[in-house]
Amino acid sequence: MTGSSTPLDPSASDARFDALVAEADAVSVEGWDFSWLDGRATEQRPSWGYARAMAGRMARAEAALDIQTGGGEVLASAPALPPLTVATESWPPNLARATALLRPRGAVVVADSDEPPLPFADDTFDLVVSRHPVTAWWDEIARVLAPGGTYFSQQVGPESVFELVEYFLGPRSAEECGARDPQRAREDAEAAGLEVTDLRAERLRVEFLDIGSVVYFLRKVIWMVPGFTVGDHLPQLRSLHRQIEEEGPFVAHSARFLIEARKPRRASTALR
């Protein structure tokens, strides 16, 4: 029993390991829905409630863009979408999933490589949103925003779930630990000509309750342990399985920050 002082039966533990890993290694990881982890892992949510706040902004917008929409799940959670709503995505399985979810809502999903330039004209959108973008291309965000428009995004902060990353990969470099700094995001947004109106950061407790949740997470969030496969990491997975069964959940901490930035309105030109 997890966290118990009663000695574990090795053969029963091995059987549980095999079953949990086989299930987690077979399940689909398409889209950006983590409901498979219900009852297997827990994560504190940021206090600002991104999806709810994003939905409120969508209800007031006329033209909106969701960059790197994943499977479209977060955008689709908004009760009302603007008359013009566009989402971009690069991964083909997510493109199909997002199209099926968003097209009935009147939103257009565009295949995009997640590299500049964005396939849209200057000054097109009064709202641009993105949840957990791999990279925020600030010059492009500023370009496609209409004057007075807003960028609203929840992003992954520094050293997110590094307890798990370092379990598999060992200590990370100072450069890796310092990446995704919210203050750097502020500087980059301002360098692109945007005015940062809100910036908040939180570290949040994550618990992996069984080894299956670890396997699923690393298969889905592929940049945590690049190239992760069960076969290549079997000794570490077995060791971590025993640790969880003997000591309780594996605890890590995710890092999240919220950033909101506005494109200044153009100064009016006096009549001559």
Side-chain angles (χ1 to χ4, degrees), residues 2 16 18 50 56 118 165 186 190 205 221 233 264:
T2 300
R16 285 191 294 272
D18 291 341
Y50 172 80
L118 285 166
V165 172
R186 176 195 290 276
E190 291 174 344
R205 183 181 177 92
V221 190
H233 297 85

Side-chain angles (χ1 to χ4, degrees), residues 202-221:
E202 294 180 358
R203 293 194 68 81
L204 307 151
R205 183 181 177 92
V206 179
E207 294 187 354
F208 296 93
L209 306 183
D210 65 40
I211 198 62
S213 66
V214 173
V215 170
Y216 179 85
F217 179 80
L218 293 179
R219 288 183 61 226
K220 195 173 186 77
V221 190

